[in-house]
């Protein structure tokens, strides 16, 4: 069992840290928000007064932070986690951030002879609570073998995507595709409904035809078709529009730096940006269907 320092106990990090406690690891937590720590401490984690204090007793450090600037700020520099870590410490950054920052932090760890994996997740708060997240990791094969043992306490499918940054690239590719097929699914369902088809019947037909995809199969965006989908619960998240927009922004930034052509992703980002600006930022991303229903 590992001695884990878990930093960043928000919507995702809180339940992930609690699952590591359940899995039998010794977990020391830190967050800038006291109440976020208390919730996990109540489930058996130890509290610390700073990230460096949590690091002192750890062999594995997990971070789950909002964006690249938070990750760089915590890991890099003379007072950063990498400079202060004990030899042999393994770092797992589960945040969704830009691949360039992930590569920079990974390289800084490697310079000190430490393993670091960018390990962003697929699956939202429910999967974090249930311990069923998918992890896509970037780093060395040796680092992956070590990190996987701890990630198994929080998820089911754990992939080694490649070197530093590869996990973040896999994540933006997946979420860009998710946005595209969600928008496409919503557009097709509404076209059918505008022609008098029952969206439930149309969904059944497309599920057995070549239009089949994940949005249609487990996350149907049309209200009333699928009882368990956010669409049937007033589009309560789920996965918020603003988080999808963040991931699409990362995909677009990367496409500029790699001169990749991403016309479908760019259109999806533009549609989500416009939808978000109309007061939909905190609704589930499948609510994009309303864009095809008119005012
Ligand atoms: P959140 O805002 O709820 O939590 C982030 C936490 O980090 C907060 O509690 C904040 O206080 C803490 N924090 C920030 N800077 C810190 C620092 N320097 N030291 C210690 N704590 C610090 O965010 P979240 O929803 O938990 O998401 C975390 C990451 O996971 C993001 O990168 C997000 O894109 C990604 N993600 C989220 C979801 C989701 O459904 N929420 C799904 C997949 C991936």
């Amino acid at each position: 069992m590992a001695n884990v320092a878990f930093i960043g106990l928000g919507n995702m990090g809180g339940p992930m840290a609690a699952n590591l406690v359940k899995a039998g690891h010794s977990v020391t937590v830190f967050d800038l928000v006291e109440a976020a720590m208390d919730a996990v401490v109540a489930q058996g984690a130890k509290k610390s007064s700073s990230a460096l204090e949590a690091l002192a007793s750890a062999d594995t450090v997990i971070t789950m932070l909002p964006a690249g600037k938070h990750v760089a700020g915590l890991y890099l520099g003379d007072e950063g986690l990498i400079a202060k870590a004990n030899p042999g410490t393994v770092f797992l950054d589960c945040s969704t951030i830009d691949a360039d920052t992930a590569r920079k932090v990974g390289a800084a760890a490697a310079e000190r002879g430490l393993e670091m994996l960018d390990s962003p997740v697929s699956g939202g708060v429910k999967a974090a609570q249930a311990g069923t997240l998918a992890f896509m990791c970037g780093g060395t094969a040796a680092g992956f073998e070590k990190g996987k043992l701890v990630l198994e306490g929080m998820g089911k499918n754990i992939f080694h995507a490649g070197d530093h940054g590869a996990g973040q690239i896999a994540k933006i590719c997946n979420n860009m595709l998710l946005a595209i097929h969600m928008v496409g699914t919503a557009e097709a369902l509404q076209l059918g409904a505008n022609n008098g088809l029952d969206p439930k019947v149309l969904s059944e037909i497309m599920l057995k035809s070549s239009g089949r995809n994940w949005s249609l199969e487990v996350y149907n965006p049309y209200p009333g078709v699928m009882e368990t989908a956010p669409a049937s619960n007033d589009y309560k998240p789920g996965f918020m529009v603003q988080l999808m927009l963040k991931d699409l922004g990362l995909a677009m930034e990367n496409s500029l730096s790699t001169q990749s052509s991403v016309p479908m992703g760019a259109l999806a980002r533009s549609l989500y940006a416009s939808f978000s600006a109309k007061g939909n930022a905190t609704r589930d991303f499948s609510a994009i269907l309303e864009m095809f229903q008119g005012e």
Side-chain angles (χ1 to χ4, degrees):
M1 288 294 130
N3 286 317
V4 179
F6 203 118
I7 301 161
L9 305 159
N11 294 321
M12 295 291 288
M16 288 165 70
N19 278 333
L20 285 180
V21 174
K22 273 187 221 146
H25 298 289
S26 168
V27 182
T28 305
V29 295
F30 178 68
D31 194 290
L32 299 174
V33 177
E34 194 82 14
M37 281 195 277
D38 291 341
V40 192
V41 168
Q43 298 177 71
K46 289 175 218 143
K47 196 175 192 167
S48 61
S49 58
S50 70
L52 290 183
E53 188 187 302
L55 172 80
S57 58
D59 50 48
T60 308
V61 177
I62 301 179
T63 46
M64 193 51 165
L65 301 168
K69 63 179 180 192
H70 305 96
V71 173
L74 198 61
Y75 277 91
L76 301 175
D78 293 345
E79 292 302 309
L81 294 177
I82 291 171
K84 297 289 182 185
N86 299 316
T89 303
V90 177
F91 293 108
L92 306 168
D93 177 39
C94 299
S95 329
T96 302
I97 65 168
D98 59 289
D100 285 345
T101 299
R103 290 183 189 118
K104 200 167 161 190
V105 176
E111 238 172 70
R112 270 215 61 204
L114 302 169
E115 297 290 356
M116 162 115 212
L117 297 172
D118 44 298
S119 316
V121 307
S122 180
V125 175
K126 276 190 188 155
Q129 288 164 345
T132 56
L133 292 165
F135 290 90
M136 29 206 114
C137 305
T140 67
F144 178 70
E145 288 314 315
K146 287 184 190 163
K148 197 178 167 198
L149 298 174
V150 178
L151 295 175
E152 278 167 352
M154 304 180 286
K156 289 270 173 274
N157 295 302
I158 301 162
F159 299 100
H160 187 204
D163 207 349
H164 296 300
Q168 298 295 350
I169 298 295
K171 166 83 185 176
I172 57 171
C173 291
N174 179 72
N175 279 25
M176 186 177 78
L177 178 59
L178 170 62
I180 292 167
H181 68 61
M182 178 56 81
V183 172
T185 300
E187 182 179 315
L189 285 171
Q190 193 57 44
L191 176 64
N194 292 349
N195 281 276
L197 268 73
D198 178 346
K200 201 166 194 169
V201 173
L202 179 57
S203 295
E204 279 164 17
I205 293 169
M206 294 196 294
L207 275 172
K208 295 288 178 201
S209 307
S210 44
R212 180 178 175 187
N213 67 75
W214 184 91
S215 294
L216 198 58
E217 199 166 6
V218 298
Y219 217 95
N220 196 300
Y222 209 97
V225 172
M226 193 172 278
E227 215 176 290
T228 52
S232 300
N233 189 24
D234 208 15
Y235 294 108
K236 292 205 179 77
F239 186 48
M240 284 188 278
V241 166
Q242 65 190 15
L243 286 173
M244 176 53 92
L245 208 43
K246 170 192 168 182
D247 294 352
L248 287 169
L250 290 172
M252 293 307 107
E253 277 170 26
N254 183 271
S255 74
L256 287 178
S257 66
T258 55
Q259 298 190 9
S260 305
S261 171
V262 288
M264 305 296 286
L267 181 55
R269 195 212 70 87
S270 181
L271 288 169
Y272 272 107
S274 157
F275 188 60
S276 180
K278 288 179 184 147
N280 296 305
T282 58
R283 298 176 75 204
D284 186 76
F285 81 115
S286 61
I288 196 82
L289 179 112
E290 291 178 359
M291 273 199 117
F292 302 102
Q293 294 184 314
E295 295 305 313

